[in-house]
Amino acid sequence: MSASDWTAVVGATDEVAHAYTTPPDLDACRLSYAQIDERDASVTLMFETTALPERPPPAWADRAYNTVEIYLRFTGVRGLRVKGWQFDARDAGLALSPREGTDVRVTVEAEDSYLDFTASGSTVARFRPYLSSGTSC
């Protein structure tokens, strides 16, 4: 399954699916954040996109924004493998592969960067807009 089909794999995507006619392809989004929490056996990935929703949530009505953040949180992580994580992993490709039940295999790859794991749960942890200055880190 490709990153463009992510809402079929990740849980709690109702807000995203309602906001977008076609949710953004995560391969086309910038991976801006990756957090591995060994205490919680979780991994959180945050993607940024300038593909704005056609039907933004009502709470966004009074906000100026040109970028949307989508945080995906994976829980019950096992088999975690990380190799040579580099800053340029922001242009990473994402593959989500459904497994039995709610399990999902997650692979993030970029030049000299690799992250791979299986999670027993996944959710959209946060979905929010912001006004980007347009500068890159």
Side-chain angles (χ1 to χ4, degrees):
M1 179 168 285
S2 73
S4 62
D5 301 328
W6 66 274
T7 58
V9 177
V10 175
T13 59
D14 291 347
E15 186 177 20
V16 175
H18 178 74
Y20 286 96
T21 302
T22 302
D25 182 341
L26 295 181
D27 275 341
C29 296
R30 183 177 180 189
L31 175 63
S32 290
Y33 176 85
Q35 179 188 26
I36 299 168
D37 186 344
E38 73 281 355
R39 297 164 297 165
D40 217 13
S42 68
V43 173
T44 302
L45 303 174
M46 188 270 278
F47 297 89
E48 293 177 318
T49 182
T50 55
L52 303 181
E54 297 86 2
R55 299 175 303 272
W60 298 10
D62 295 330
R63 293 183 176 180
Y65 60 92
N66 58 8
T67 306
V68 174
E69 292 178 341
I70 303 168
Y71 286 79
L72 303 182
R73 185 165 188 264
F74 299 92
T75 56
V77 169
R78 59 195 184 279
L80 176 68
R81 294 183 299 163
V82 180
K83 292 182 191 172
W85 198 257
Q86 301 291 323
F87 183 75
D88 60 0
R90 292 172 181 238
D91 295 324
L94 174 73
L96 301 172
S97 306
R99 297 289 190 240
E100 190 174 323
T102 60
D103 281 9
V104 61
R105 174 90 180 262
V106 180
T107 305
V108 180
E109 289 186 84
E111 188 174 340
D112 298 323
S113 299
Y114 180 82
L115 172 67
D116 179 74
F117 59 88
T118 299
S120 60
S122 59
T123 189
V124 174
R126 190 171 189 190
F127 176 56
R128 75 171 194 98
Y130 75 97
L131 188 59
S132 172
S133 65
T135 60
S136 58
C137 303

